[in-house]
Amino acid sequence: MTLQYTSPSTIPKIVADLRASFRTHRTQSLEFRKEQLRALQRGVEEFRGEFEAAIKADLNRSSVMDVSIVAHTIQGTLDKLDDMTADRETAGLNELDKSFVRLSPLGTVLIIGPWNFPVMLVLDPLIGAIAAGNTCVVKPSEVSENSSAAVTRMLTKFMDPTVVQVVNGGVEETTVLLKERFDHIFFTGNTMVGRIVMEAASKHLTPVTLELGGKCPALITEHTDIAVAAQRIAHWKTLNAGQACISVDYVLCPKNLQEDLIKSVIGVWHEVFGKDFRNSDSYGRIVSKKQFDRISKLLKAAEKQNKIVFGGKSEAGNLYVEPTIVTDVTEHDELMQSEIFAPILPIINYETFDEALNIINGQEHPLSVNLFSDNQDQINRDESLPFGGVGHSGMGRYHGKYSIETFSHSRAVMIRNQSGL
Ligand code: NAD
């Protein structure tokens, strides 16, 4: 299935129409917002089968997780919308005043999505945007074309076109879209494109939420339950073939625990996918030839250094990359220069806990750090992050009430008694 791109010349009118629609105030009432959320809920239910087939075609994996998270978020938002949007009373300046904070929708917002969770990562922010009372342009990724085509059909069929519009395309179309003025831009994607989005937003002083990537480490210590850590690391490295923003990117492990860890990780992979990863029904594929070529270079560099201890095979024809473990990795290796986003697990050895923390701190801020330990001193020294990054992994946060706050202006309202000054 091919994704039909939006003609760039139509984009300014799409945005202008949504802006005019917002100005009618029809999206302001909670009942209207709930109707939109219910419409989205019906759409997601009706398109379950289509999403499954599309994600299978794009990434060779199941859509169960993506769709269930979206369905759960819609229901949770519907259940709590009244509470989440209620005025919050604050202390007045004096006893004659009444003051409160009211969440007001921002206006017309833009959501730009990535290809790795192509349904969930546009619909999840959309729930927040419409629950907060905005009108919205959704720009799914052109790379996951089957999933983005399914999302487009679903939104076109179920959502009010004066509230939600979909724009499809690649760099050219998105560049035109970014010239428009929005009241908020919610971007999920890589750090380099995040910079482009923020630069475009700055021309209009538009606030942005940037959900970016990074290198998320896993830290193994003498206080780690190796079986538990192996289970989780193995899972993250192969979920969506390692193409997830909070996938474990690399492991820091003392040399004496390494053999045990490697054996356990391989054991979990075989348990889940069988002996033959390539022919497993549930083992994912790399999304595109471009990504495959990037990953092949990483594999070749590791192979040249004789550092691959497990896996290493790949097949351009069906975009297959075997789960791979690389040892004796240093911070200077190719694998440590940027986010891996593939089922390749580098292991870096360290001697002291401080040395491990220095390696993590030597990188840009990751989205998450996974410390496997039952030692409270070690846990206390691990900085945990809320969902949403910091520094090069992004800015802003979302999910639940944070999504509504992201797409709202916290307006200070003071009601002053007429008899005073
Ligand atoms: P990407 O940045 O290449 O693409 C994201 C979107 O930006 C797409 O819709 C694409 O069309 C658009 N785009 C690409 N180049 C552009 C340009 N030059 N100008 C304007 N728009 C452009 O990201 P991706 O490869 O689709 O996704 C993978 C990245 O996303 C990884 O870095 C991953 O860590 C990150 N990610 C982050 C989160 C999170 O929640 N923080 C979630 C998923 C993915």
Side-chain angles (χ1 to χ4, degrees), residues 323-369:
T324 297
I325 300 178
V326 184
T327 53
D328 295 317
V329 174
T330 74
E331 291 159 272
H332 309 293
D333 286 355
E334 201 69 29
L335 280 168
M336 289 303 292
Q337 303 316 309
S338 53
E339 185 183 19
I340 297 172
F341 232 54
I344 307 174
L345 184 66
I347 302 180
I348 299 182
N349 296 133
Y350 72 88
E351 279 173 16
T352 64
F353 195 63
D354 280 338
E355 187 191 338
L357 293 186
N358 280 338
I359 294 172
I360 296 172
N361 290 334
Q363 300 276 336
E364 294 293 349
H365 274 290
L367 263 180
S368 65
V369 175

Side-chain angles (χ1 to χ4, degrees), residues 341-414:
F341 232 54
I344 307 174
L345 184 66
I347 302 180
I348 299 182
N349 296 133
Y350 72 88
E351 279 173 16
T352 64
F353 195 63
D354 280 338
E355 187 191 338
L357 293 186
N358 280 338
I359 294 172
I360 296 172
N361 290 334
Q363 300 276 336
E364 294 293 349
H365 274 290
L367 263 180
S368 65
V369 175
N370 306 274
L371 167 64
F372 296 101
S373 175
D374 56 11
N375 178 293
Q376 204 52 44
D377 286 344
Q378 290 182 340
I379 295 168
N380 290 346
R381 293 186 60 186
D382 178 50
E383 249 184 85
S384 63
L385 300 172
F387 203 88
V390 58
H392 281 217
S393 55
M395 61 180 72
R397 65 181 75 187
Y398 79 131
H399 287 169
K401 71 173 182 166
Y402 297 109
S403 291
I404 293 184
E405 286 172 7
T406 289
F407 289 108
S408 302
H409 167 54
S410 297
R411 189 150 59 101
V413 181
M414 184 168 79

Side-chain angles (χ1 to χ4, degrees), residues 33 36-37 40 44 70 73-74 77 109-112 119-139 151 154-156 159 163-166 186 398 403-404 407:
R33 301 182 204 181
Q36 290 303 302
L37 288 170
L40 188 61
V44 170
V70 171
T73 306
I74 299 174
T77 307
V109 302
L110 170 62
I111 293 169
I112 302 179
V119 173
M120 180 174 86
L121 292 179
V122 288
L123 296 188
D124 224 4
L126 178 63
I127 295 164
I130 56 182
N134 299 280
T135 58
C136 185
V137 175
V138 174
K139 209 308 274 172
V151 165
M154 187 275 280
L155 292 177
T156 309
M159 303 309 289
V163 178
V164 178
Q165 283 284 327
V166 185
F186 188 105
Y398 79 131
S403 291
I404 293 184
F407 289 108

Side-chain angles (χ1 to χ4, degrees), residues 188-258:
T188 308
N190 80 52
T191 304
M192 191 197 72
V193 182
R195 279 198 193 95
I196 296 173
V197 169
M198 193 164 169
E199 199 180 330
S202 73
K203 304 255 160 51
H204 299 292
L205 292 180
T206 297
V208 290
T209 300
L210 302 177
E211 296 288 343
L212 311 177
K215 291 182 80 59
C216 306
L219 186 45
I220 305 292
T221 78
E222 70 277 21
H223 299 287
T224 297
D225 179 329
I226 296 287
V228 171
Q231 183 83 36
R232 295 185 188 163
I233 291 168
H235 165 77
W236 273 114
K237 251 313 165 193
T238 45
L239 174 76
N240 205 23
Q243 302 165 110
C245 58
I246 46 173
S247 180
V248 168
D249 189 273
Y250 64 98
V251 172
L252 290 156
C253 179
K255 188 106 186 161
N256 63 325
L257 301 176
Q258 176 172 291

Side-chain angles (χ1 to χ4, degrees), residues 52-78:
E52 178 65 22
I55 290 184
K56 185 83 185 160
D58 287 328
L59 293 153
N60 194 43
R61 68 169 174 82
S62 149
S63 65
V64 169
M65 184 188 100
D66 313 49
V67 173
S68 65
I69 288 177
V70 171
H72 181 78
T73 306
I74 299 174
Q75 190 55 54
T77 307
L78 275 167

